[in-house]
Amino acid sequence: MEYPVDTLLLSRIQFGANISFHILFPTITIALGWVLLFFKLRYNATRESKWMDAYMFWVKIFALSFAMGVVSGITMSFQFGTNWPGFMETVGNVAGPLLAYEVMTAFFLEAVFLGIMLFGASRVKPWVHTLATFLVAFGTTMSTFWIIVLNSWMHTPQGFELRDGVVFATNWWEIVFNPSMPYRLVHMLLASGLTVAFLIAGVSALRLLWGDRAESAKSTLRFGIIVAAGLIPLQILAGDFHGLNTLEHQPAKVAAMEGNWETGPNIPLVLFAIPDEEARENKYEIGVPNGASIILKHKPSGVVPGLNDFVAEDGTKLHPRVAPVFFSFRIMVATGMAMLVLSWTGLFLLRRYGAGEMPRLPLYAFAAMSLSGWLATLAGWYTTEIGRQPWLVQGVLATKDAVSDVSAGMVLSTLIGYLVIYAALIFAYIGVILYLARKAARGEALPSRGYKHSGEAEVAVMQPGE
Amino acid sequence: MDLFSDPAIWLPWTFAALMGLSILMYVILDGFDLGVGLLVPLAEDEDKDLLVASIGPFWDANETWLVLAIGLLLVAFPTAHGIILSALYLPVFVMLVGLILRGVSFEFRAKAPASQKPRWNVAFFVGSLMASMSQGFMLGMYVMGLTWTLPHVAFALLTAVFLTVGYSFIGAAWLIAKTSGELQKRAVGWAKRGIWGLILGIAAISMATPYVSARIYEKWFSMPEMLYLSPLPLLSAAMVLYLLWQIKRLPQDNDRSAWGPFMAAMALFVLAFGGMAYSFYPYVVPEQITIYEAASAPESLLIILIGTLFVLPAILGYTILSYSIFRGKATELRYD
């Protein structure tokens, strides 16, 4: 325990890096699993080969994302022990069963049926293959459920009692259905849906820009735009409800998100500022008068909590670091707004021109926004997770009390190792998606073998694109 | 003391058994697919795809047993979890990097441009090697009581090599069953060499464990325990002799006995594991913390146990389903 502070900070950075890398891939697989099921069901219903082509294209990206999610998820499960032994020692009685249920009800289901979904189409009856696709999607969503339950419980813990500093479960119903769980779950599922919708729209737009005339690319562009346009208003609504829930249970987090220092009525909605934690004020503030009060309390005179309420008498801050929460929240909201504008514009253009004749400018915009879901998800994740600090489990376990006593040098060297690998893998991952898209655009992607029911669409796929 | 009257006794015991089961499942199942990964550089280029295809549908579920094992350690014995994983911080890191590299290589090597395939093959091998070596190292450190002294580390390095060779043996045995023709002959050749690692590894652990701990020595080398335990070494010896004899005769006409080496290797792993479990019981951290001291609250364990009783048969069921769907000789994997 030579440098406890450094170990703490480095462990936080390491965990942050690992979970940031990890969350990218479930964010894709959660919704993409259901999208694949949709493509498969469309194919089953219409026998149009474009749906099978879409399935074949996106199942590759699903498989790749899934593998990335699995391997980085295993890392997470070990990190509890290597870096945060205090977490399991204190709240293991609650966290343990939730994680165990995730492994048992979700992991095995996904892993086993993924093998059948990816490689079993020629070995099982078609309905079994469709069922395997469903079970993988279902398993992925189950997995999300358990993880969100645990994460939400860490934000809004209930249904337990403390004995000698250790958490004992008293009411599993209350633990699972803790106050922030429904909001968080809906917010995450919608985030995944949006991420996938923009990824599909963006990659399809790229294919069209590269001269791909395949029916499947047009259909998936249309699919992505419609889903995105449908989900984004729901997400804004869900985000608002989630914010109100956070206000009730974690007011310090909301104060940091709003960049509000003093509790009071008529609090402005700060659009931009540089929060200064030492001076305890905002620099260069641009705000909408009464905005925060109206959003959070639905009236201008609504009293909104301020950060200065969360400072102990000895000066210890009981609120998170303001700037990261403040800025990541704004990045999330701004990305969401861009999603709203682009998807609704896209919807309009879709009605006007159709997917095949879409002008190039919006296609470029969709291509550029391919990974906007990642940006918004990460920003949202930082908002909520940094916003929980200094607590690991709100009011129960402080982050600093959970950290392991391994040396700072050890944490630093492994951190560098992880970062190098993650950077290389992200690079390779995006590279492969682009490669697959380019290959498809050049017409080199083989038409789905074994599904030759509709001859003419087949020809369309085979045409060289450029 | 009645073992099953007090939940504070039988619950930790049950969870130790469940954890043992999932570690064993992991070692056998991921053992053979890690082994196949280790053998990839030895295979001809045109055979590499087939090697990977033979484990493609299974590796992910195989690896999940590790997550279950670590999950059970974490839920059932939280204090032990922290102690063990903090002590093994570095090898755990190496293993995780290995598992990451190898897991993503499955997908990347099949989807990246053809020119990059050799690179992902290397990543696949290196990842398998890192994972196997670090697991062997951790096993050695665990046997030595999780203390970092020079002789202990030296021993752990030895077990790292042995486990790696042992994994490549069971990988080769898997390939004997899943391939045919020239490749199968080569796999027999790999198995012939790999078996010595397996034998030396089991021997080293068997001799070192009682040497390190007087308690374990007592458990094995006193009457009448020695008598009861004698089937373990005797059966192991029989399996080894069978393997040595069988591998010489393979491949046979009509592919007879092709599964023999794999089955015998599984039996050897089970026997070795049984011996270890007997040695270390009731400790979860060797000579420091027993499973009864480290166990979580009975009410939490009960919650998991109830679910396990329903879920575990389902898991076993669809695992068997998957192996039966992909039974027979490995063929090129296609997404259709």
Side-chain angles (χ1 to χ4, degrees):
Chain A
M1 267 267 231
E2 235 178 305
Y3 310 106
V5 177
D6 293 314
T7 299
L8 174 61
L9 185 63
L10 288 167
S11 292
R12 281 185 62 193
I13 295 172
Q14 186 174 101
F15 198 81
N18 285 344
I19 205 156
S20 299
F21 179 73
H22 174 67
I23 199 178
L24 299 177
F25 304 103
T27 304
I28 288 181
T29 50
I30 294 163
L32 192 50
W34 295 107
V35 170
L36 287 173
L37 181 67
F38 173 80
F39 289 163
K40 180 87 207 234
L41 291 174
R42 288 299 294 159
Y43 172 74
N44 288 351
T46 64
R47 296 280 145 187
E48 288 177 304
S49 69
K50 67 175 182 183
W51 292 114
M52 209 58 216
D53 291 338
Y55 184 93
M56 290 299 169
F57 182 86
W58 285 99
V59 81
K60 294 188 179 75
I61 292 169
F62 180 86
L64 192 59
S65 314
F66 195 92
M68 300 276 265
V70 166
V71 295
S72 53
I74 292 177
T75 310
M76 307 302 314
S77 69
F78 276 88
Q79 284 238 312
F80 291 132
T82 52
N83 291 33
W84 307 100
F87 177 67
M88 274 297 154
E89 280 160 26
T90 310
V91 302
N93 286 326
V94 166
L98 298 177
L99 288 170
Y101 269 94
E102 189 206 3
V103 178
M104 290 194 300
T105 62
F107 273 16
F108 278 107
L109 196 71
E110 300 168 75
V112 170
F113 285 97
L114 182 73
I116 299 171
M117 170 179 159
L118 293 183
F119 307 119
S122 56
R123 290 175 180 254
V124 296
K125 293 197 176 74
W127 70 265
V128 177
H129 185 248
T130 307
L131 180 67
T133 308
F134 164 75
L135 287 172
V136 170
F138 177 75
T140 313
T141 308
M142 280 294 279
S143 175
T144 314
F145 172 78
W146 290 115
I147 288 299
I148 292 286
V149 165
L150 174 55
N151 180 265
S152 300
W153 183 82
M154 290 161 69
H155 285 271
T156 52
Q158 62 171 28
F160 69 95
E161 62 184 31
L162 276 170
R163 284 182 234 151
D164 300 327
V166 173
V167 162
F168 285 82
T170 52
N171 185 336
W172 280 101
W173 185 265
E174 281 189 14
I175 289 169
V176 171
F177 295 95
N178 63 76
S180 65
M181 190 277 281
Y183 301 96
R184 219 175 283 278
L185 182 64
V186 170
H187 205 41
M188 182 67 215
L189 292 177
L190 287 170
S192 174
L194 278 165
T195 303
V196 168
F198 272 91
L199 183 68
I200 290 180
V203 171
S204 308
L206 257 186
R207 286 174 60 180
L208 294 176
L209 284 169
W210 284 337
D212 196 341
R213 302 320 293 160
E215 285 303 315
S216 66
K218 294 176 202 163
S219 292
T220 49
L221 176 67
R222 190 178 303 123
F223 175 83
I225 293 175
I226 292 172
V227 172
L231 292 186
I232 187 72
L234 294 177
Q235 180 68 311
I236 291 170
L237 201 64
D240 185 48
F241 280 118
H242 189 188
L244 295 177
N245 179 262
T246 307
L247 177 66
E248 192 181 332
H249 297 280
Q250 295 172 303
K253 186 196 287 186
V254 174
M257 284 157 66
E258 299 294 344
N260 182 39
W261 300 92
E262 283 300 333
T263 304
N266 307 97
I267 299 299
L269 176 66
V270 179
L271 297 177
F272 180 82
I274 307 232
D276 183 339
E277 220 164 295
E278 296 315 307
R280 305 202 71 76
E281 62 179 30
N282 292 333
K283 302 234 155 77
Y284 316 110
E285 180 178 307
I286 304 167
V288 179
N290 301 332
S293 289
I294 291 172
I295 289 177
L296 291 168
K297 296 287 182 173
H298 302 293
K299 56 183 181 203
S301 60
V303 174
V304 170
L307 287 157
N308 291 340
D309 281 7
F310 302 96
V311 179
E313 281 181 13
D314 63 355
T316 320
K317 287 171 198 158
L318 299 173
H319 62 74
R321 290 212 25 221
V322 181
V325 177
F326 179 85
F327 284 117
S328 50
F329 177 63
R330 267 149 199 77
I331 292 171
M332 177 187 76
V333 172
T335 312
M337 289 303 150
M339 287 173 147
L340 179 70
V341 171
L342 182 62
S343 62
W344 280 83
T345 312
L347 202 60
F348 170 77
L349 295 170
L350 212 53
R351 291 191 64 117
R352 176 104 192 257
Y353 299 101
E357 302 304 320
M358 180 85 72
R360 292 183 80 80
L361 190 65
L363 287 182
Y364 278 117
F366 275 108
M369 291 272 284
S370 295
L371 297 176
S372 53
W374 275 7
L375 181 66
T377 305
L378 281 179
W381 188 256
Y382 295 145
T383 307
T384 196
E385 297 305 308
I386 300 175
R388 177 178 56 194
Q389 302 300 329
W391 297 107
L392 190 58
V393 179
Q394 183 81 34
V396 176
L397 175 65
T399 309
K400 66 177 166 55
D401 295 334
V403 75
S404 125
D405 58 1
V406 293
S407 74
M410 193 98 96
V411 183
L412 180 64
S413 46
T414 52
L415 170 63
I416 293 169
Y418 282 123
L419 288 178
V420 169
I421 291 168
Y422 291 161
L425 288 180
I426 294 266
F427 184 73
Y429 176 84
I430 294 174
V432 163
I433 292 182
L434 291 175
Y435 168 75
L436 290 174
R438 199 173 278 278
K439 207 164 86 165
R442 280 202 303 262
E444 282 171 22
L446 287 171
S448 41
R449 285 168 296 193
Y451 289 94
K452 289 176 179 158
H453 294 283
S454 155
E456 43 182 64
E458 212 73 59
V459 176
V461 178
M462 291 298 281
Q463 275 171 1
E466 285 148 328
Chain B
M1 173 178 58
D2 185 6
L3 188 65
F4 293 103
S5 58
D6 181 2
I9 298 295
W10 68 263
L11 270 171
W13 193 91
T14 307
F15 274 85
L18 280 174
M19 196 174 83
L21 177 73
S22 49
I23 293 177
L24 183 62
M25 291 291 278
Y26 174 75
V27 169
I28 291 173
L29 295 176
D30 215 33
F32 83 70
D33 69 45
L34 281 165
V36 171
L38 292 165
L39 294 169
V40 161
L42 300 178
E44 301 289 327
D45 273 347
E46 63 268 24
D47 288 336
K48 288 187 163 118
D49 285 349
L50 202 59
L51 255 63
V52 176
S54 79
I55 51 177
F58 309 115
W59 73 271
D60 195 356
N62 293 348
E63 216 163 89
T64 308
W65 290 100
L66 177 67
V67 183
L68 182 62
I70 205 71
L72 287 173
L73 176 64
L74 176 149
V75 300
F77 312 107
T79 35
H81 171 257
I83 294 172
I84 294 173
L85 290 185
S86 307
L88 298 175
Y89 192 87
L90 221 48
V92 165
F93 168 75
V94 175
M95 177 183 76
L96 291 173
V97 170
L99 291 178
I100 291 174
L101 276 182
R102 158 192 150 79
V104 299
S105 302
F106 275 98
E107 299 299 331
F108 276 120
R109 69 185 292 290
K111 291 169 195 70
S115 63
Q116 290 176 12
K117 201 170 192 174
R119 216 179 297 167
W120 290 111
N121 282 340
V122 171
F124 186 49
F125 166 72
V126 171
S128 304
L129 185 67
M130 288 170 80
S132 309
M133 292 283 281
S134 52
Q135 284 171 11
F137 186 87
M138 289 191 264
L139 175 67
M141 289 303 284
Y142 185 82
V143 168
M144 291 286 143
L146 296 171
T147 44
W148 287 78
T149 65
L150 196 61
H152 290 180
V153 171
F155 177 79
L157 287 172
L158 204 65
T159 51
V161 174
F162 288 143
L163 188 71
T164 305
V165 182
Y167 277 168
S168 34
F169 174 77
I170 196 168
W174 168 261
L175 289 172
I176 293 173
K178 294 293 277 187
T179 63
S180 52
E182 275 308 302
L183 182 56
Q184 191 182 33
K185 281 194 194 125
R186 296 179 68 101
V188 173
W190 297 329
K192 267 184 198 153
R193 277 171 275 164
I195 187 156
W196 295 106
L198 193 61
I199 295 169
L200 285 174
I202 293 176
I205 302 251
S206 308
M207 288 192 280
T209 319
Y211 177 79
V212 177
S213 153
R215 183 187 62 81
I216 294 176
Y217 185 90
E218 272 301 297
K219 277 182 95 170
W220 282 85
F221 299 104
S222 55
M223 283 296 177
E225 285 82 356
M226 222 168 133
L227 222 56
Y228 299 143
L229 291 166
S230 57
L232 275 178
L234 290 178
L235 275 174
S236 304
M239 286 299 138
V240 168
L241 290 175
Y242 166 79
L243 279 169
L244 289 170
W245 170 75
Q246 182 64 270
I247 289 171
K248 277 211 183 76
R249 304 169 62 234
L250 283 170
Q252 297 184 37
D253 296 337
N254 294 328
D255 217 33
R256 267 190 305 127
S257 312
W259 279 101
F262 188 74
M263 294 298 167
M266 281 211 301
L268 262 180
F269 275 76
V270 173
L271 290 167
F273 191 85
M276 286 218 25
Y278 173 75
S279 296
F280 285 102
Y281 178 82
Y283 287 93
V284 58
V285 180
E287 315 301 321
Q288 289 180 41
I289 302 178
T290 68
I291 54 174
Y292 306 108
E293 292 159 356
S296 298
E299 47 270 47
S300 288
L301 292 181
L302 211 54
I303 280 278
I304 306 172
L305 189 62
I306 294 165
T308 311
L309 291 179
F310 287 98
V311 179
L312 206 57
I315 293 173
L316 289 173
Y318 54 66
T319 303
I320 292 168
L321 173 76
S322 151
Y323 276 86
S324 85
I325 287 175
F326 295 101
R327 71 185 172 275
K329 297 293 178 188
T331 50
E332 183 207 353
L333 284 184
R334 298 189 343 194
Y335 280 76
D336 51 25

